[in-house]
Amino acid sequence: MKKYLFMWCFVLCTLSGMAQTVTIIDKNTGEPLELATLASNSPRAFVVTNIKGQADITAFEGAEIIEVRMLGYEKAMVSYAILSQTNFTVELVASKLSMDDVVVSANRWHQDRQDVPNKIKTITPSDIQLQNSQTAADLLGSTGDVFIQKSQLGGGSPMIRGFSTNRLLITVDGVRMNTAIFRSGNLQNIISLDAFATESAEILFGPGSVMYGSDAIGGVMSFRTLNPQLSHTSETLVKGAAVARYSSANAEKTTHFDINVGWNKWASVTSFSNSNFGDLRMGTNGPDDYLRPFYVERQNGVDVMVANEDPLVQKPTGYEQTNLMQKVRFKPNANWDLVYGLHYSTTSNYSRYDRLIRTQGGLPRSAEWQYGPQVWLMNNLTATHQGNSRLYDQMNIRLAHQFFEESRIDRDFNKPIRASRVEKVNAYSFNLDLDKALKTGTELFYGFEAVYDDVNSIGTDEDITTGDVVEGPARYPQSSWASYALYASLQHRISPKLLVQAGTRYNYFKLDAKFDTRFYPFPFETAKISNGAVTGSLGLVFNPETDMTISTNLSTGFRSPNVDDAGKVFDSEPGAVVVPNPELGPEYAYNAELGIAKIFNSSIRVDVTGFYTRLENALVRRDFTLNGQDQIMYDGELSQVQAVQNAAYTKVYGIQAGIEFKFDSGFGFSTRYNLQHGEEELDDSSLSPSRHAAPSFGVTKITYNHQNLKMDLYAMYSGEVSFDDMPAEEKGKGYMYAVDSSGNPYSPSWFTLNFKALYKLSNGMTVSGGVENITDQRYRPYSSGITAAGRNIILSLKVDL
């Protein structure tokens, strides 16, 4: 045994000793370029440079064409032979605008954006650093292509192309974050991600079910976290940063550090962040309907309405969050790359603000309504192999376990019973993704996915006057949800200018639930749902010129009913209660889109995408009966019985457009605009505006980038949603909206003017900051329950280690 162990160690050391290193630098400055990519089709290989601009290209030996790319630089085409003649150094020339960047989310493998029929938005490391966003939700919102809804400060529910919540998919390092209890109501799970630990992100618009399965109807948000960087010299590679940030609108105090240590075959990266947010202050110029005139305190055993001495401060909204990430990488040779990642995030309790501003008979409806700590833990082991075998050229195996915990704690005003509902989910997943070049111009992507979620839900009721705690009804049944799928996608280049891509996926899902009938008279004790779903896509990409792309895509998506759909009990709004429904099937989306992008004179880029999506058999809340009754007593109130049902259709259509200018002086101008309109079928077959179709919104920027200085002056804006255009479901939530001249709720239009700047000092320090909402507007984004921040001064100091 020792002999064989010694032999393998010798082989691995020999292979690593034969490594060949390339260095990518800026031609003008000579500075190394971090995160530049090198790709070859024959042999199949892909690498990314480290902080020193270096990468191991042993696997590229003999390659006749190696594409070297870096966002903001012209693409370079070299051969391995030429590299050997230039001492394995590549100089990249800075460019103004380009379509040559690399994306991952479309087919789970690195691809040229011009080879992808889907619209994709990339958030780069420089974007992340300049925006300095408090949360991952805010980072998405800064793109101007994603609308963010918030019910509380510890929130952020993205809306993309008229869809939201469990009709959008979140992935982290290739692992789906959506679980069996992702709900149709607004979600805040995305704030578990640490913006500081995010290396880059991509937003894939439209159905992505062929590659990602259930939930990927409106789009996929793919986050890639910091990856351990190897050293390609005899010296140990050490890279790190320490950050301190302050924001005035909520007295945010954030500290962060990360450290990367890399050797030839091993590397480690550690990241830690802690944020403390105080109560959020709104702006001074806007509707008085958003003011916070009171809050609730418990005084001498009685709930009391207390006059808020500063109605601009939204009490209580503050909370604390901690994030930890640890990754270890082992690359024994040019063909194998293994990465283990541990992610952990937790928050303090935080109030659901939109529930605390509701009143009943002139008094607060709730004395308490808060989420307990939101906990997320992920273990992820990824193994990538460059095979060049008969079955695959590249193989990726991903094993992951995630643990989620969330809870709800509420108590009515001057009522003694505090209800606590705790949900815990253990999610297991296995992904096998393969890529194979069949012949020149034809590539096959295929794979297998298995997901299993175990849901544990408990409820307790505490009498705060006596301290007695008794068992209460759980929010969900004890249940499991499983999904198994096979997928394949074929990409064929018909000519140098025309490419076609077609894909299909078969997905089988199964749900088992056991209901507790002690608290509610359900006419069933168990529920079993099993079904299959087939989805597909067909796309064309036409590049008549190197600086022009025309793409069209037809695709379908689906969402299988989960535990939240089939099994939960909750109050959706005052006077209505949602009960379980075990008779559910999948909902299907059918999407068509057409996109055109063109660069003029290397300095002006214009892109326009039009889309139409129709959702059939939509899972929606509808009036229901329980044991023949359409009303039951729930929390002491006679409530209309409702349930999630396959009972409607939704259609959404719109455009996404942008224009960008780059000037030789370092100045730039860009604008992004999104217009969507949605309709959904109601119970009486009439139509209502779709709840998750955001009003028109966008961002316009003037930028300056020269050497170590970056500046960004920008306006963010959103259109009005009048009472007549408001979804029927939203009209019953007047407490969240402003009031028009007729006394009806509506969502006013708004805009903010903002400024961000970043300057790199020569001693490894970076100073950044800015002012958000310079004119101190008081506004509340559509469908949000909390008013956005007023004028917000941000100061940040980063020290590179």
Side-chain angles (χ1 to χ4, degrees):
M1 182 65 186
K2 292 182 178 180
K3 179 178 70 174
Y4 290 114
L5 182 61
F6 175 79
M7 181 184 70
W8 276 110
C9 290
F10 176 78
V11 170
L12 293 179
C13 291
T14 301
L15 289 172
S16 65
M18 296 187 296
Q20 178 59 61
T21 300
V22 69
T23 303
I24 312 299
I25 62 174
D26 183 300
K27 184 174 182 178
N28 292 327
T29 66
E31 293 293 319
L33 296 178
E34 182 183 6
L35 301 180
T37 64
L38 294 91
S40 167
N41 286 325
S42 180
R44 199 73 174 172
F46 182 90
V47 294
V48 180
T49 58
N50 62 17
I51 190 175
K52 295 184 177 181
Q54 298 173 335
D56 177 7
I57 60 166
T58 305
F60 290 75
E61 186 173 2
E64 295 184 358
I65 299 177
I66 300 175
E67 296 182 352
V68 186
R69 303 171 188 263
M70 177 78 181
L71 195 63
Y73 290 83
E74 295 180 3
K75 177 176 65 175
M77 309 282 284
V78 297
S79 68
Y80 192 89
I82 291 176
L83 283 178
S84 63
Q85 296 171 11
T86 59
N87 199 26
F88 291 95
T89 300
V90 179
E91 298 177 335
L92 293 186
V93 179
S95 65
K96 294 180 181 178
L97 293 172
S98 173
M99 294 184 180
D100 283 336
D101 52 320
V102 174
V103 295
V104 179
S105 55
N107 286 306
R108 291 184 174 269
W109 293 103
H110 299 85
Q111 284 184 282
D112 185 343
R113 180 191 294 271
Q114 285 188 295
D115 292 342
V116 177
N118 307 79
K119 176 177 172 58
I120 296 177
K121 173 68 177 181
T122 301
I123 303 175
T124 67
S126 59
D127 295 332
I128 296 170
Q129 188 176 19
L130 178 61
Q131 286 303 317
N132 222 345
S133 303
Q134 286 191 347
T135 68
D138 296 332
L139 178 63
L140 290 174
S142 69
T143 64
D145 283 313
V146 179
F147 191 90
I148 300 297
Q149 180 277 350
K150 291 187 179 183
S151 298
Q152 63 278 333
L153 182 59
S157 188
M159 294 183 181
I160 299 175
R161 288 192 176 182
F163 295 98
S164 185
T165 61
N166 55 15
R167 290 179 180 137
L168 300 176
L169 184 71
I170 305 169
T171 70
V172 184
D173 292 337
V175 178
R176 60 178 291 133
M177 195 179 192
N178 295 38
T179 71
I181 63 170
F182 264 41
R183 57 190 181 273
S184 59
N186 298 307
L187 288 168
Q188 67 271 12
N189 296 74
I190 201 166
I191 71 166
S192 293
L193 306 180
D194 184 4
F196 283 110
T198 300
E199 187 172 85
S200 63
E202 292 176 4
I203 307 159
L204 185 148
F205 296 90
S209 288
V210 168
M211 287 293 158
Y212 293 95
S214 179
D215 305 359
I217 289 178
V220 178
M221 294 161 284
S222 175
F223 291 84
R224 294 197 298 277
T225 59
L226 299 174
N227 202 42
Q229 294 189 4
L230 298 164
S231 173
H232 301 294
T233 67
S234 58
E235 297 181 359
T236 301
L237 174 66
V238 179
K239 170 195 174 185
V243 181
R245 184 178 65 201
Y246 173 81
S247 299
S248 63
N250 54 7
E252 176 211 5
K253 295 178 283 294
T254 291
T255 55
H256 164 82
F257 79 84
D258 61 76
I259 184 74
N260 181 102
V261 181
W263 297 272
N264 292 121
K265 294 187 296 182
W266 290 90
S268 165
V269 63
T270 304
S271 173
F272 174 84
S273 300
N274 177 264
S275 296
N276 194 303
F277 305 104
D279 292 330
L280 183 65
R281 183 182 180 87
M282 67 182 77
T284 57
N285 304 308
D288 290 344
D289 307 280
Y290 298 155
L291 294 173
R292 177 64 161 157
F294 71 89
Y295 59 94
V296 176
E297 279 189 357
R298 186 83 174 166
Q299 298 178 359
N300 300 319
V302 178
D303 294 327
V304 178
M305 284 181 67
V306 177
N308 190 1
E309 59 185 24
D310 188 350
L312 297 179
V313 177
Q314 300 173 86
K315 294 185 177 181
T317 51
Y319 73 103
E320 184 178 1
Q321 179 167 338
T322 299
N323 284 79
L324 172 67
M325 184 188 77
Q326 176 63 58
K327 282 186 174 182
V328 178
R329 181 181 181 186
F330 176 52
K331 197 174 190 315
N333 53 54
N335 294 325
W336 280 100
D337 196 351
L338 292 87
V339 178
Y340 165 74
L342 169 68
H343 302 258
Y344 176 75
S345 174
T346 186
T347 68
S348 63
N349 286 21
Y350 54 98
S351 297
R352 179 165 174 179
Y353 183 76
D354 65 336
R355 293 299 178 98
L356 296 178
I357 61 178
R358 299 182 303 173
T359 58
Q360 188 176 44
L363 294 174
R365 179 178 171 86
S366 299
E368 304 175 44
W369 214 119
Q370 58 185 328
Y371 289 107
Q374 179 171 290
V375 179
W376 172 58
L377 171 70
M378 180 170 79
N379 293 278
N380 178 17
L381 177 62
T382 301
T384 303
H385 184 238
Q386 308 288 342
N388 296 321
S389 69
R390 297 180 64 180
L391 291 178
Y392 64 88
D393 296 326
Q394 298 178 101
M395 176 181 66
N396 193 301
I397 300 173
R398 187 176 291 108
L399 290 165
H401 164 257
Q402 296 179 86
F403 171 76
F404 300 82
E405 180 179 332
E406 57 184 57
S407 54
R408 295 160 177 80
I409 306 162
D410 69 281
R411 182 175 62 83
D412 289 343
F413 187 75
N414 270 326
K415 295 294 178 64
I417 301 302
R418 176 187 290 138
S420 297
R421 306 293 180 257
V422 180
E423 287 76 54
K424 298 180 180 181
V425 180
N426 281 284
Y428 306 87
S429 62
F430 170 81
N431 287 86
L432 173 65
D433 300 307
L434 303 119
D435 173 18
K436 177 64 180 177
L438 300 180
K439 59 181 180 179
T440 303
T442 303
E443 194 164 357
L444 175 65
F445 308 93
Y446 66 106
F448 170 78
E449 179 185 71
V451 179
Y452 180 84
D453 287 4
D454 182 71
V455 179
N456 187 310
S457 183
I458 61 174
T460 57
D461 293 331
E462 177 188 3
D463 188 324
I464 64 171
T465 60
T466 65
D468 293 336
V469 179
V470 297
E471 187 178 2
R475 179 178 171 89
Y476 296 114
Q478 308 307 304
S479 50
S480 65
W481 180 88
S483 169
Y484 308 97
L486 290 168
Y487 80 87
S489 180
L490 187 69
Q491 188 178 84
H492 176 65
R493 185 168 294 282
I494 299 174
S495 71
K497 296 182 178 181
L498 182 63
L499 180 145
V500 62
Q501 180 169 304
T504 186
R505 180 188 186 101
Y506 174 73
N507 218 113
Y508 172 79
F509 58 88
K510 182 179 180 181
L511 186 153
D512 290 314
K514 183 178 180 180
F515 294 91
D516 188 339
T517 57
R518 292 176 299 166
F519 298 98
Y520 300 110
F522 299 139
F524 44 79
E525 293 185 353
T526 62
K528 294 182 181 295
I529 300 175
S530 61
N531 211 328
V534 178
T535 52
S537 64
L538 176 63
L540 289 171
V541 180
F542 178 51
N543 297 306
E545 305 168 10
T546 57
D547 54 8
M548 183 177 183
T549 297
I550 302 172
S551 62
T552 183
N553 193 38
L554 302 174
S555 57
T556 62
F558 82 100
R559 187 173 74 84
S560 64
N562 63 17
V563 175
D564 183 83
D565 298 310
K568 72 180 172 185
V569 179
F570 82 114
D571 58 325
S572 60
E573 57 187 11
V577 58
V578 175
V579 300
N581 177 15
E583 303 294 330
L584 294 178
E587 55 183 11
Y588 284 92
Y590 303 89
N591 177 76
E593 63 184 270
L594 174 66
I596 302 175
K598 168 69 175 174
I599 294 177
F600 300 91
N601 299 323
S602 301
S603 59
I604 303 173
R605 175 188 168 113
V606 179
D607 69 272
V608 180
T609 301
F611 65 91
Y612 176 91
T613 306
R614 184 181 178 91
L615 185 68
E616 295 282 0
N617 295 320
L619 292 163
V620 293
R621 289 200 301 265
R622 290 287 186 265
D623 289 345
F624 199 61
T625 59
L626 187 64
N627 287 331
Q629 297 181 319
D630 60 4
Q631 291 184 316
I632 62 172
M633 293 298 295
Y634 181 78
D635 279 353
E637 181 177 356
L638 187 64
S639 300
Q640 172 67 48
V641 176
Q642 296 181 332
V644 175
Q645 304 170 56
N646 293 102
Y649 75 86
T650 298
K651 61 180 180 181
V652 183
Y653 54 90
I655 62 170
Q656 295 175 285
I659 186 169
E660 183 177 4
F661 297 83
K662 291 288 187 181
F663 305 104
D664 292 331
S665 58
F667 282 96
F669 170 85
S670 67
T671 187
R672 302 292 314 167
Y673 184 73
N674 293 262
L675 177 65
Q676 51 273 311
H677 178 74
E679 293 179 343
E680 60 185 31
E681 184 183 21
L682 300 181
D683 203 16
D684 60 1
S685 297
S686 63
L687 296 178
S688 167
S690 178
R691 176 190 174 195
H692 292 137
S696 58
F697 68 97
V699 60
T700 299
K701 297 183 178 184
I702 298 174
T703 61
Y704 179 76
N705 188 353
H706 181 67
Q707 294 181 348
N708 294 327
L709 177 63
K710 293 182 180 180
M711 293 189 294
D712 198 347
L713 177 66
Y714 62 101
M716 301 189 73
Y717 39 86
S718 173
E720 174 184 303
V721 180
S722 66
F723 176 75
D724 292 337
D725 293 332
M726 187 167 286
E729 187 176 349
E730 294 299 290
K731 289 181 179 179
K733 303 175 183 177
Y735 58 91
M736 290 188 352
Y737 292 98
V739 178
D740 63 18
S741 58
S742 300
N744 295 317
Y746 83 113
S747 180
S749 61
W750 56 266
F751 80 95
T752 62
L753 185 64
N754 315 273
F755 175 75
K756 297 281 180 69
L758 179 149
Y759 184 71
K760 293 183 179 180
L761 302 173
S762 58
N763 57 1
M765 296 178 61
T766 301
V767 179
S768 63
V771 183
E772 297 176 332
N773 195 359
I774 295 172
T775 57
D776 207 25
Q777 298 297 305
R778 183 188 307 147
Y779 70 100
R780 184 175 287 178
Y782 163 73
S783 191
S784 294
I786 188 171
T787 306
R791 185 181 297 117
N792 184 30
I793 299 172
I794 304 168
L795 295 173
S796 177
L797 177 65
K798 177 184 177 184
V799 179
D800 292 323
L801 305 177

